[in-house]
């Protein structure tokens, strides 16, 4: 994975059945900042609270760094109903791919956060994870995915196991479990089948002409 390829999504919109994945931009930061004031989300994401200014710095880092690929998750129907000028109101969470090993750019750590409680337990996390994995495999050249989840986050652990991730280690010190999936040809085929209806669009063009999205 050559330098700069992680910025490949800076104008990419991925359309799924119930969600849209869009680049994390400055307009999303205030809502994201409000999310991360939650002690629950801080614990689930192993994050420290940041000031709004620090959150803007983090957003720029995620957009500009070569080792990160981040999308904001939007409620597709609400986005269609309200319009792009209120995109912040449609935010559900975020999903990230990180390159954690400079010597192996085919290994990626995957993170997903459904920040809005009313959207949890509805299969959205599974849809988003499949979309992001497909994007990672086809656009970024990822061949192995890794997730690190807090031991008390039983819902996320169960979801990734249902997606055929295998538990590889448990760290008692950090109270987290690591699961992995190697992308062989059968996994690649299954991923492509699972998200066969996913559409990739030009983000800026779609925002100016959202009628092209089928509700």
């Amino acid at each position: 994975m050559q330098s700069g390829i992680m910025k490949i999504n800076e104008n990419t919109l991925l359309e799924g059945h119930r969600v849209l994945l869009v680049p994390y931009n400055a307009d999303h930061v205030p809502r994201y900042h409000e999310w991360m004031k939650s002690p629950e989300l801080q614990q689930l994401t192993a994050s420290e609270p940041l000031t709004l200014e620090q959150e803007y710095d983090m957003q720029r880092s995620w957009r500009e760094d070569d080792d990160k690929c981040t999308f904001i998750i939007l409620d597709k129907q609400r986005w269609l109903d309200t319009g792009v000028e209120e995109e912040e109101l449609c935010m559900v969470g975020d999903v990230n791919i990180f390159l954690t090993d400079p010597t192996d750019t085919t290994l990626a750590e995957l993170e997903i956060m459904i920040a809005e409680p009313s959207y949890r337990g509805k299969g959205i996390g599974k849809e988003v994870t499949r979309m992001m994995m497909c994007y990672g495999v086809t656009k970024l050249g990822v061949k192995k995915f890794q997730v690190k989840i807090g031991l008390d986050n039983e819902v996320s652990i169960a979801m990734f196991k249902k997606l055929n991730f295998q538990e590889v280690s448990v760290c008692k010190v950090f109270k987290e479990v690591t699961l992995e999936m190697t992308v062989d040809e059968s996994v690649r085929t299954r991923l492509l089948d699972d998200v066969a209806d996913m559409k990739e669009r030009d983000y800026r063009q779609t925002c100016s002409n959202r009628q092209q999205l089928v509700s």
Side-chain angles (χ1 to χ4, degrees):
M1 195 178 302
Q2 65 267 32
S3 176
I5 199 168
M6 297 302 274
K7 300 177 191 175
I8 195 172
N9 78 317
E10 64 184 357
N11 190 36
T12 297
L13 179 150
L14 300 179
E15 177 190 357
H17 289 295
R18 291 176 292 173
V19 299
L20 302 175
L21 303 186
V22 301
Y24 183 28
N25 61 53
D27 293 337
H28 301 134
V29 171
R31 180 74 175 274
Y32 194 93
H33 180 61
E34 288 302 312
W35 284 343
M36 298 315 296
K37 290 179 180 179
S38 160
E40 178 196 17
L41 290 179
Q42 290 172 21
Q43 180 181 353
L44 290 174
T45 59
S47 302
E48 296 292 329
L50 301 177
T51 65
L52 183 58
E53 184 179 351
Q54 289 172 325
E55 208 75 75
Y56 277 109
D57 289 342
M58 185 69 74
Q59 180 270 332
R60 283 190 290 270
S61 165
W62 287 3
R63 283 295 296 271
E64 296 169 7
D65 284 4
D66 291 333
D67 62 352
K68 299 180 181 70
C69 181
T70 300
F71 285 100
I72 291 293
I73 307 165
L74 304 180
D75 177 327
K76 176 180 170 180
Q77 192 57 53
R78 189 170 185 183
W79 188 87
L80 288 167
D81 292 341
T82 61
V84 295
E85 65 277 2
E86 297 185 26
E87 187 169 285
E88 187 182 353
L89 300 178
C90 307
M91 291 169 60
V92 174
D94 73 333
V95 60
N96 309 282
I97 284 179
F98 300 99
L99 298 183
T100 56
D101 184 351
T103 67
D104 183 2
T105 56
T106 67
L107 171 64
E109 184 174 339
L110 183 65
E111 289 184 352
I112 179 169
M113 176 179 73
I114 304 299
E116 292 293 331
S118 62
Y119 287 88
R120 297 173 191 165
K122 298 181 177 179
I124 288 176
K126 189 178 291 185
E127 178 183 2
V128 169
T129 300
R130 285 172 168 158
M131 291 171 65
M132 191 61 157
M133 288 177 66
C134 184
Y135 187 80
V137 169
T138 59
K139 300 294 184 180
L140 307 178
V142 176
K143 295 181 179 177
K144 180 184 283 188
F145 289 99
Q146 184 180 82
V147 293
K148 296 180 179 179
I149 308 170
L151 289 173
D152 55 352
N153 192 348
E154 297 176 359
V155 173
S156 288
I157 294 171
M159 183 192 77
F160 279 102
K161 286 185 175 180
K162 285 180 181 177
L163 291 170
N164 296 313
F165 276 70
Q166 303 297 314
E167 184 176 316
V168 294
S169 66
V170 175
C171 179
K172 300 290 187 182
V173 176
F174 293 107
K175 298 180 180 178
E176 67 180 17
V177 58
T178 299
L179 300 94
E180 290 183 351
M181 176 190 282
T182 299
V183 182
D184 57 22
E185 199 54 42
S186 65
V187 170
R188 182 186 177 93
T189 299
R190 186 173 70 244
L191 271 176
L192 293 174
D193 286 345
D194 286 341
V195 295
D197 295 331
M198 182 176 77
K199 298 179 179 68
E200 182 177 342
R201 303 184 186 275
D202 181 291
Y203 175 53
R204 284 186 287 269
Q205 183 178 344
T206 304
C207 285
S208 62
N209 182 24
R210 62 192 175 97
Q211 284 74 26
Q212 68 178 284
L213 280 178
V214 180
S215 60

